[in-house]
Amino acid sequence: MPRTKKKVCIVGSGNWGSAIAKIVGANVVKFNNKFEEEVTMYVYEEMINNKKLTEIINEQHENVKYLPGHKLPANVVAVPDVVNAAREADILVFVIPHQFIRTLCATLLGKIKPTAVGLSLIKGFDQGDGTSIELISKIIEKHLNIPCYVLMGANLANEVAEEKFCETTIGCKDKRLAPLLRDVIQTPNFRVVVVEDAEAVEVCGALKNIVACAAGFVDGLGLGDNTKAAVIRLGLMEMVKFVDTFYGGSKLSTFFESCGVADLITTCYGGRNRRVCEQFVKTAKTIKELEDELLAGQKLQGPATADEVNAMLKNRNLMDKFPLFTAVHRICTKDLKPTELIDQIRSHPEHVMRLEGVVEDAEDDA
């Protein structure tokens, strides 16, 4: 009997969701022996110049609000109702702001195929009970009763849409579906590496946005690239320590994949978190004001993730062990002035350990 073709749904249609839809739409046609050619894309309905955004996308094949200037494949169909978009899908690609994932799951529960598989491109955490955080993939698995893989990497949406070369990482616990997911995502200029370290892949995708906020503060203060490089290095150290503390068993090598150091560097130089936080310093406006002013309806992940991480660190009395993460949260909530950022990380535990090691070596030599 012929193998059943898989149907794909993109759950989300922002900047990143539309860029991924462009790839997926082309790939299901390329591999039409494996996939249904129609790709549904859930679009939160908005009015653009007195016309529905879904109608514009389906008629013009362009998301004129979130990814203007890029044609989407004609087989990508915008659907304003998430249940209608997702009900027949075998692969659900989740790419919405992380703040909305619980509501979305509640809406979809019992209304999707029980055999469906999720792929989360969502960078962020859910705050859970206020003292701990939950991974978005785990929320999807728990509330929809489906397995969920994760995709994270140095993937600025506009550059992906422009087909500039980049890499990405799929994290999973079970590689059996990896070839299928690679086929639906990979292109000659969007290369996929699969690793069996899903938690570390996902946590990197969230934490790097906190570090990008710190990089934005550095840019806003005019402190230069040397300082930014120090912030990026210390941020990476805290990312590794955070994963080791809360998600033991992950592999150090994962941090050298695209989801780790590459995504961190890219976001600290080109992402929206960096850009908004630079203006936060220069304008003295609130994060919310700048989000509304600069992001055209997109959501900022860094400050929200910093808040969620801070609650987790505070509950475990670990804030002093993560001074960069803590400082970003305090600056975003205006508990600390941006000018105090460097003072907060000057005595970073990583610096102190290095200094103590030098002193001990000197004493031994003496």
Side-chain angles (χ1 to χ4, degrees), residues 28-303:
V28 297
V29 173
K30 178 180 178 181
F31 297 106
N32 61 8
N33 61 319
K34 298 180 181 182
F35 302 104
E36 296 286 348
E37 291 196 19
E38 181 184 86
V39 174
T40 53
M41 179 171 70
Y42 165 58
V43 175
Y44 178 78
E45 193 69 277
E46 302 177 64
M47 299 301 295
I48 309 292
N49 296 326
N50 296 317
K51 191 167 185 176
K52 292 179 179 179
L53 180 57
T54 53
E55 292 179 358
I56 296 173
I57 292 173
N58 290 333
E59 292 172 7
Q60 301 180 19
H61 306 297
E62 179 182 352
N63 190 332
V64 294
K65 180 168 184 180
Y66 296 109
L67 195 67
H70 292 279
K71 288 294 182 182
L72 299 177
N75 59 312
V76 174
V77 179
V79 180
D81 182 280
V82 68
V83 173
N84 288 340
R87 72 167 76 247
E88 298 298 326
D90 300 288
I91 299 173
L92 295 162
V93 181
F94 294 93
V95 54
I96 62 170
H98 77 276
Q99 298 94 324
F100 304 135
I101 192 62
R102 285 184 181 272
T103 301
L104 182 98
C105 287
T107 303
L108 290 177
L109 180 61
K111 298 172 183 174
I112 60 173
K113 286 185 175 181
T115 55
V117 174
L119 179 64
S120 174
L121 280 60
I122 302 171
K123 297 182 176 181
F125 296 122
D126 182 86
Q127 196 153 350
D129 60 7
T131 60
S132 63
I133 57 179
E134 289 190 67
L135 300 182
I136 301 301
S137 65
K138 301 304 180 188
I139 291 174
I140 293 169
E141 290 182 341
K142 181 168 67 175
H143 291 280
L144 291 181
N145 301 313
I146 63 172
C148 188
Y149 294 62
V150 296
L151 181 148
M152 306 284 156
N155 308 143
L156 295 179
N158 286 344
E159 294 186 12
V160 172
E162 291 165 4
E163 301 181 24
K164 295 178 178 177
F165 179 84
C166 66
E167 303 169 314
T168 199
T169 310
I170 290 179
C172 64
K173 288 184 178 179
D174 182 348
K175 280 191 173 182
R176 283 179 295 179
L177 273 180
L180 190 69
L181 295 177
R182 184 186 286 118
D183 283 345
V184 84
I185 292 292
Q186 182 165 260
T187 75
N189 285 323
F190 192 67
R191 308 306 293 173
V192 175
V193 173
V194 179
V195 299
E196 292 180 286
D197 195 6
E199 289 182 339
V201 170
E202 184 168 1
V203 174
C204 282
L207 295 181
K208 56 95 181 183
N209 284 327
I210 303 177
V211 186
C213 290
F217 298 147
V218 168
D219 288 342
L221 293 167
L223 295 177
D225 284 337
N226 291 341
T227 303
K228 187 190 279 193
V231 163
I232 292 172
R233 188 184 75 84
L234 293 171
L236 180 60
M237 296 292 289
E238 290 194 13
M239 288 168 62
V240 173
K241 183 185 291 185
F242 188 93
V243 171
D244 186 54
T245 300
F246 295 102
Y247 302 95
S250 293
K251 304 167 187 174
L252 184 62
S253 60
T254 301
F255 293 91
F256 296 94
E257 297 292 348
S258 183
C259 63
V261 64
D263 194 11
L264 177 63
I265 292 170
T266 297
T267 309
C268 286
Y269 278 91
R272 71 184 71 156
N273 290 281
R274 186 218 64 80
R275 180 161 56 98
V276 170
C277 286
E278 178 183 8
Q279 294 305 312
F280 177 78
V281 175
K282 290 181 174 180
T283 66
K285 294 180 180 179
T286 67
I287 293 290
K288 180 64 169 64
E289 288 171 337
L290 290 167
E291 184 182 64
D292 292 342
E293 182 181 315
L294 299 177
L295 298 185
Q298 298 177 76
K299 296 297 181 183
L300 202 64
Q301 302 299 320

Side-chain angles (χ1 to χ4, degrees), residues 15-30:
N15 188 232
W16 186 209
S18 298
I20 283 297
K22 183 178 178 182
I23 289 175
V24 172
N27 278 355
V28 297
V29 173
K30 178 180 178 181

